[in-house]
Amino acid sequence: MDNLAAMFLYSSSSTSTSPAAALSSQLSLNMTNHYSHADHNYNNRYSSYTQSDDDHELRLIGENKKGPSDKVVVADRISPSTNSFSTGDGDDLNTSMASTKLNVRKGEKKIRKPKFAFQTRSQVDILDDGYRWRKYGQKAVKNNKFPRSYYRCTQQGCNVKKQVQRLSKDEGVVVTTYEGMHTHPIEKSTDNFEHILTQMQIYSSC
DNA sequence: CGCTTTTGACCGGCGC
DNA sequence: GCGCCGGTCAAAAGCG
């Protein structure tokens, strides 16, 4: 049947080192083949996305048969001003709200975190990506009957977050949005990113 | 007993 | 200024 829909990867052209590059290299483990396959399905069956360079928005446009007006924001605008956690590489754990508005650090330009959304067609909400996550929040989402869950990587010093949300439009679809990059190796050796893709393919063959 | 989840409160940003 | 909204905190409950 349908399977994995799409992955969105985009950068926050914030600082010197390109988080996008790092991200993609992090993601690149063997996924090229799978991805192109997925992309193919994605183009045919779902939708496409655009990326606004101005505010680094990521949008999922429409659905198969709906008009372009029917937009779904997959990854919301990366807020220019909220939280503080690292752009990825080991910023360190400035966890609390105490450091809330430090995206504007001393006249430096705002830091935008790399963020990418990953859309899968799956019965289960949580895909095992090999990292350990602790849930720290859940919120109802407007225009969506399913809540969005917020997770943080449990590894100390690693401030990667992710959000998981199911589309009410199509409850078979789960959108996982990652923020930041892991500062440590993957935890399980067997269940890595590649494993996810395997899982997806399993689902797709059902 | 230590870690994770749950859940209401809280906070800052944004639009009106 | 006010209210809404998305995101986070943190205490309490749950679980192995």
Side-chain angles (χ1 to χ4, degrees):
Chain A
M1 304 254 184
D2 306 318
N3 67 341
L4 151 83
M7 183 187 80
F8 309 111
L9 170 63
Y10 62 107
S11 84
S12 66
S13 58
S14 56
T15 40
S16 44
T17 57
S18 159
L23 255 180
S24 52
S25 71
Q26 190 183 34
L27 283 169
S28 68
L29 34 134
N30 269 352
M31 82 177 292
T32 41
N33 287 340
H34 301 283
Y35 179 61
S36 53
H37 172 246
D39 192 39
H40 176 259
N41 282 334
Y42 160 71
N43 282 330
N44 285 335
R45 313 195 61 90
Y46 288 97
S47 45
S48 58
Y49 72 94
T50 58
Q51 174 182 344
S52 148
D53 269 351
D54 290 345
D55 50 5
H56 303 281
E57 252 180 26
L58 175 66
R59 287 204 178 102
L60 173 68
I61 299 192
E63 287 203 347
N64 340 15
K65 317 247 158 95
K66 311 260 178 99
S69 57
D70 196 14
K71 278 189 190 167
V72 176
V73 173
V74 167
D76 228 321
R77 183 197 319 147
I78 298 180
S79 133
S81 50
T82 40
N83 40 8
S84 48
F85 76 119
S86 70
T87 33
D89 27 20
D91 225 18
D92 69 355
L93 47 161
N94 34 13
T95 36
S96 63
M97 297 207 247
S99 51
T100 310
K101 38 181 149 187
L102 49 52
N103 265 342
V104 202
R105 302 201 277 230
K106 315 179 170 176
E108 290 179 22
K109 65 159 124 177
K110 311 169 187 178
I111 297 176
R112 289 201 176 113
K113 300 171 289 293
K115 195 174 184 181
F116 64 94
F118 192 94
Q119 190 179 53
T120 64
R121 183 166 268 279
S122 163
Q123 316 309 67
V124 294
D125 285 1
I126 330 158
L127 295 161
D128 190 355
D129 51 10
Y131 292 99
R132 292 184 58 227
W133 302 93
R134 178 173 54 253
K135 187 172 185 174
Y136 68 89
Q138 173 171 302
K139 284 294 270 189
V141 186
K142 243 195 154 188
N143 302 322
N144 198 137
K145 55 183 172 186
F146 302 106
R148 174 186 300 147
S149 297
Y150 299 89
Y151 298 88
R152 211 191 296 274
C153 183
T154 58
Q155 196 74 205
Q156 197 195 66
C158 179
N159 287 307
V160 176
K161 297 176 193 174
K162 74 170 176 182
Q163 311 178 358
V164 177
Q165 168 180 13
R166 192 174 283 278
L167 298 179
S168 64
K169 255 177 205 276
D170 183 351
E171 32 189 288
V173 171
V174 175
V175 179
T176 307
T177 305
Y178 289 90
E179 284 185 34
M181 285 166 32
H182 295 281
T183 59
H184 55 95
I186 212 160
E187 230 173 70
K188 310 181 194 171
S189 53
T190 51
D191 285 335
N192 54 15
F193 199 81
E194 200 176 351
H195 181 67
I196 293 187
L197 293 160
T198 311
Q199 286 182 322
M200 292 170 180
Q201 291 191 324
I202 290 173
Y203 287 124
S204 74
S205 59
C206 293

